[in-house]
Amino acid sequence: MLLRVVPTVALLALWVWAFIDCLTTPEDEIRHLPKVVWVIIVLLFPLVGSIAWLVAGKDRARARGRRAPWPAGPTAGFPEYERPRQLAPDDDPEFLASLKRGNQQHEEMLKKWEADLRRREEDLRRERPEDGDGSRA
């Protein structure tokens, strides 16, 4: 039974891989036939179509020469020591300066509110004089 399952799974894997490779290959890297014809051949003839695609369908030399539009790899084009890194908030001077500016603005606003509150309290005291025993007139 195992001798029948392994070839079947291998054929299915080859067929799926060839089909996906055929679909994702750009039109300019396909040889001999149009892309639609290659897809139909791979779908209708799983073994023969997949092998034909591998042998004659894709221009592998052009695919190898194609580069990614951006650097790939673990450092993405930067040596590790040059890789830009985001600073933690407590290490970022701009962030700390913005906190200081924000604190100063809040302190100024609080002082204005306190002065306004004192002025209003004084206005109320002048408008409503209190009796000597603490009750209002």
Side-chain angles (χ1 to χ4, degrees):
M1 168 128 175
L2 185 63
L3 293 176
R4 279 192 282 175
V5 172
V6 172
T8 305
V9 170
L11 174 64
L12 182 64
L14 174 68
W15 185 39
V16 169
W17 181 81
F19 179 66
I20 291 173
D21 188 43
C22 185
L23 285 177
T24 59
T25 300
E27 192 76 41
D28 61 334
E29 292 179 14
I30 296 178
R31 296 187 301 177
H32 305 297
L33 297 172
K35 185 175 186 174
V36 175
V37 175
W38 276 116
V39 169
I40 292 171
I41 289 172
V42 170
L43 278 178
L44 294 179
F45 308 103
L47 180 63
V48 175
S50 297
I51 293 172
W53 169 253
L54 291 175
V55 173
K58 187 174 183 178
D59 187 2
R60 307 238 179 247
R62 185 179 295 178
R64 267 186 246 116
R66 185 179 61 191
R67 299 187 134 246
W70 59 87
T75 60
F78 292 102
E80 193 61 33
Y81 61 88
E82 290 181 3
R83 180 187 287 267
R85 295 180 185 239
Q86 185 174 4
L87 292 174
D90 57 341
D91 293 336
D92 187 0
E94 284 184 36
F95 177 74
L96 295 175
S98 73
L99 285 180
K100 193 172 186 178
R101 283 190 303 270
N103 284 343
Q104 289 171 348
Q105 291 171 349
H106 289 133
E107 288 292 326
E108 291 171 6
M109 189 183 322
L110 185 59
K111 286 178 185 176
K112 287 180 184 177
W113 287 351
E114 288 175 345
D116 186 48
L117 181 61
R118 273 191 231 106
R119 182 187 52 80
R120 288 181 184 199
E121 287 175 346
E122 288 297 320
D123 289 346
L124 284 176
R125 284 191 191 117
R126 276 190 237 124
E127 289 175 5
R128 297 187 205 147
E130 294 182 12
D131 292 339
D133 63 351
S135 64
R136 293 188 179 190

